[in-house]
Amino acid sequence: MKKILIGLPMLLLAGTAMAEQSVNYGDPTAQFTMGGVSRSSDRTQLNGVVGWGEGNMVFVDLGLGDKRTAEDKLDYDYRLRYFKVNDGLGYSLDVVGNADSTTTLAGGMYKFQLSDKVSVFPMLYGGYLDSKHAIEVEGRDSFKNSAIAQAGLYAMYAFDGGHWLYANPKASYVARAKEFVPQLEVGAGYMLSENSSLGLKLEHTVENKISDKDTVGWISFSYYF
């Protein structure tokens, strides 16, 4: 089955800042600049974030697999996202893709600060999936494009000293398939210094009629400017 990317979570392979810093890097609505690298069992990804002006953020992720695809092509993936940070509310435009498909999403999230250490961010997005190959769905006609909707929740716990835990459950509804794709990301990290962090995360996709069950673990290093 072709691997279809239908939109990833608010993935910052980063953590919270030290207590004395004003920026919380684990907050997906925070504004900062960062460069980093991530590694799974068979992929390497370069991560970059640039923040400027009144809450403008651009995220760029570029990934490459260790081996070529079955068609002897580069196994690459990418994500380009613009995010506008406001007080409480943020909205974004997201383009996620690989050699087989491209997904465009637009929407937003709202920040609720439950306590000094606990924050939650409900998210809602809508967009469009465009695949180069026919997507087969049991009991339905195959398709190459579809409207999609995605809802999720990002929850973060910040420890004293800047360490963090987070969870990001979400589900994407593919209209042409009339099928939900549930996914879960959980992560943890450690601030190595005031300007660097080491992160771990696990991404899990529940088996469904569109994509196979999949679990991927990542380790990352990030440096903040």
Side-chain angles (χ1 to χ4, degrees):
M1 180 179 291
K2 300 291 184 181
K3 187 172 182 181
I4 305 299
L5 296 185
I6 56 174
L8 301 178
M10 315 300 289
L11 300 180
L12 297 183
L13 301 179
T16 58
M18 298 299 186
E20 67 271 21
Q21 291 178 301
S22 60
V23 175
N24 184 324
Y25 298 122
D27 181 342
T29 62
Q31 184 176 355
F32 57 90
T33 298
M34 178 271 284
V37 61
S38 307
R39 176 68 188 177
S40 70
S41 61
D42 60 357
R43 304 188 70 80
T44 300
Q45 188 179 74
L46 299 178
N47 314 114
V49 181
V50 177
W52 78 95
E54 297 296 325
N56 298 291
M57 299 283 290
V58 169
F59 301 77
V60 179
D61 300 313
L62 300 173
L64 185 65
D66 294 344
K67 299 179 180 179
R68 288 177 173 264
T69 66
E71 295 84 5
D72 197 32
K73 297 180 180 179
L74 289 177
D75 181 16
Y76 67 89
D77 63 80
Y78 61 89
R79 182 187 188 196
L80 178 63
R81 173 171 171 250
Y82 169 76
F83 190 77
K84 175 61 176 174
V85 178
N86 295 311
D87 185 15
L89 176 67
Y91 57 88
S92 69
L93 176 65
D94 218 345
V95 180
V96 183
N98 57 18
D100 295 320
S101 66
T102 300
T103 298
T104 303
L105 292 168
M109 60 161 40
Y110 196 90
K111 178 179 180 179
F112 292 94
Q113 191 76 39
L114 301 185
S115 70
D116 290 342
K117 295 185 178 182
V118 179
S119 304
V120 295
F121 307 80
M123 304 177 296
L124 183 62
Y125 293 88
Y128 190 75
L129 164 66
D130 186 17
S131 175
K132 295 180 180 179
H133 305 278
I135 301 173
E136 304 290 340
V137 183
E138 183 180 353
R140 301 193 181 280
D141 294 335
S142 63
F143 62 92
K144 288 189 175 182
N145 49 65
S146 175
I148 62 173
Q150 184 183 94
L153 181 72
Y154 182 102
M156 183 189 71
Y157 184 89
F159 293 91
D160 293 337
H163 318 307
W164 76 98
L165 293 171
Y166 74 90
N168 182 200
K170 61 191 178 297
S172 302
Y173 180 74
V174 183
R176 291 285 297 275
K178 296 184 179 180
E179 177 78 358
F180 283 96
V181 180
Q183 295 172 297
L184 173 66
E185 179 189 346
V186 293
Y190 186 87
M191 292 300 292
L192 301 173
S193 70
E194 292 185 357
N195 300 101
S196 64
S197 70
L198 186 67
L200 298 172
K201 72 168 181 172
L202 190 69
E203 297 173 334
H204 178 70
T205 299
V206 178
E207 185 175 2
N208 56 84
K209 294 180 180 179
I210 300 175
S211 60
D212 298 328
K213 177 181 177 181
D214 189 31
T215 301
V216 181
W218 292 85
I219 185 171
S220 66
F221 173 79
S222 302
Y223 187 85
Y224 310 97
F225 300 93

